[in-house]
Amino acid sequence: REKLFAARASRVRPGTDDKILSGMNGLALTGLAEAARVLDDPTILEGARRTAAFLLDRLRGADGRMRRTWKGEARLPGTLDDHAFVAEGLLALYEATFETRWFDAAVALLRQAIALFWDEAQAAFYVTAPDEAELPALIERPLSGHDGAIPSGASVIAELLLVVGDALKDETMTGIARSLLERRAAGALEQPFAYAQLLGAMDTLLEGPTQIVLSGANTHALERAVATAFVPGRLIVKREGAPGALVSLVGDKESEGEAAFVCRSQRCEAPERDPGRLASGLAS
């Protein structure tokens, strides 16, 4: 092995692409945060926190916009995908930690994405912002389209706007998501394999988002129960220390001791204190 290594070292090394991409790390952040929450793994959670901190400290500009690449310095304006994927990861990290800074940063990126990429007339999101002179000139400004091996930014942000908009009672967010999904519905039904992520957002639109509000000093057992269930279009919120924007949602959830409230359309079921019943209820 040493002789083989010495022989190989004498040849020109292949090029290495070692730049950091904000969008790809946003996708990784979602995976790390979800894995940490479901598996209750502090090591994975620490990796998620470090990833999020790097994205916000190094790849978010002073203007609040994401930058696309980092290799010693941040370069190039972030695209729709960068903003959508990082916002999704930050929201997942909030659900895993209930640290409000991640939720607030996710909401700020969603608002940035609307301002930079949304076109009301076409009911669509552009991939690039209109002022991105640093990027190579394109024949036309592309719209965010179908989902592939990587979901489209438009599909991801549609889901986020529905979930966050419903929790915040933000009709602008939910209205944008509805307009986009209504415009894309026919194409998604004709070619469903090209719009897998978008169809998931359509399911959230039709069924309505779900909020799971945890209340009490020690909700670990309830959190573990929530972790056993797959609930599409959901937002898990901790009543104590909730972000200011969510106060209207969680402020009136009175309960003695630890409890979970499952809410839809701004209406909540009776508080559930038994982790087993909570898990079975969410699963059904």
Side-chain angles (χ1 to χ4, degrees):
R1 289 174 63 89
E2 292 177 359
K3 290 179 179 179
L4 287 172
F5 182 79
R8 188 177 65 182
S10 67
R11 298 196 293 268
V12 176
R13 291 179 178 271
T16 303
D17 185 355
D18 57 356
K19 64 180 177 293
I20 294 171
L21 299 176
S22 57
M24 297 300 98
N25 276 272
L27 292 174
L29 174 58
T30 300
L32 289 169
E34 280 286 283
R37 182 181 67 82
V38 171
L39 301 175
D40 198 19
D41 189 313
T43 301
I44 299 176
L45 185 60
E46 178 58 25
R49 282 196 178 100
R50 289 175 57 196
T51 301
F54 187 92
L55 286 166
L56 295 179
D57 295 343
R58 304 293 183 89
L59 278 154
R60 183 178 57 171
D63 56 1
R65 294 169 62 169
M66 294 303 300
R67 300 300 185 260
R68 185 154 181 79
T69 71
W70 190 90
K71 187 175 179 180
E73 63 177 345
R75 296 185 63 249
L76 302 179
T79 64
L80 172 68
D81 290 6
D82 298 315
H83 289 75
F85 296 168
V86 173
E88 181 184 42
L90 291 170
L91 198 63
L93 186 55
Y94 167 71
E95 291 184 306
T97 64
F98 302 118
E99 295 169 3
T100 59
R101 55 176 171 159
W102 310 125
F103 181 88
D104 292 339
V107 172
L109 285 182
L110 291 178
R111 299 197 191 286
Q112 282 277 6
I114 293 172
L116 293 170
F117 308 108
W118 174 246
D119 185 281
E120 185 71 33
Q122 299 190 75
F125 279 97
Y126 283 106
V127 174
T128 59
D131 60 347
E132 293 181 355
E134 297 176 57
L135 293 175
L138 301 175
I139 296 174
E140 65 177 9
R141 194 175 164 210
L143 293 171
S144 183
H146 63 271
D147 304 309
I150 297 173
S152 72
S155 297
V156 170
I157 202 168
E159 173 88 9
L160 294 175
L161 291 175
L162 287 172
V163 171
V164 174
D166 184 70
L168 299 182
K169 301 179 183 178
D170 189 318
E171 295 182 0
T172 298
M173 286 186 175
T174 55
I176 287 173
R178 178 181 290 276
S179 296
L180 184 149
L181 294 172
E182 288 177 347
R183 178 64 66 90
R184 291 289 178 84
L189 292 174
E190 289 175 2
Q191 297 180 304
F193 287 106
Y195 292 94
Q197 186 81 17
L198 190 79
L199 288 170
M202 287 183 178
D203 178 71
T204 298
L205 175 65
L206 295 172
E207 296 294 329
T210 300
Q211 293 92 33
I212 303 170
V213 181
L214 302 174
S215 178
N218 182 11
T219 58
H220 185 262
L222 295 172
E223 292 172 40
R224 303 316 311 140
V226 173
T228 65
F230 172 63
V231 184
R234 57 103 249 267
L235 177 63
I236 308 169
V237 179
K238 187 72 176 288
R239 183 175 182 270
E240 289 74 18
L246 286 178
V247 169
S248 62
L249 171 67
V250 303
D252 59 351
K253 308 298 180 292
E254 297 297 339
S255 172
E256 293 183 5
E258 283 66 47
F261 300 81
V262 179
C263 310
R264 300 183 74 175
S265 301
Q266 302 296 325
R267 297 177 181 176
C268 299
E269 299 175 4
E272 181 57 75
R273 294 178 174 82
D274 183 85
R277 287 197 300 267
L278 175 61
S280 61
L282 290 173
S284 63

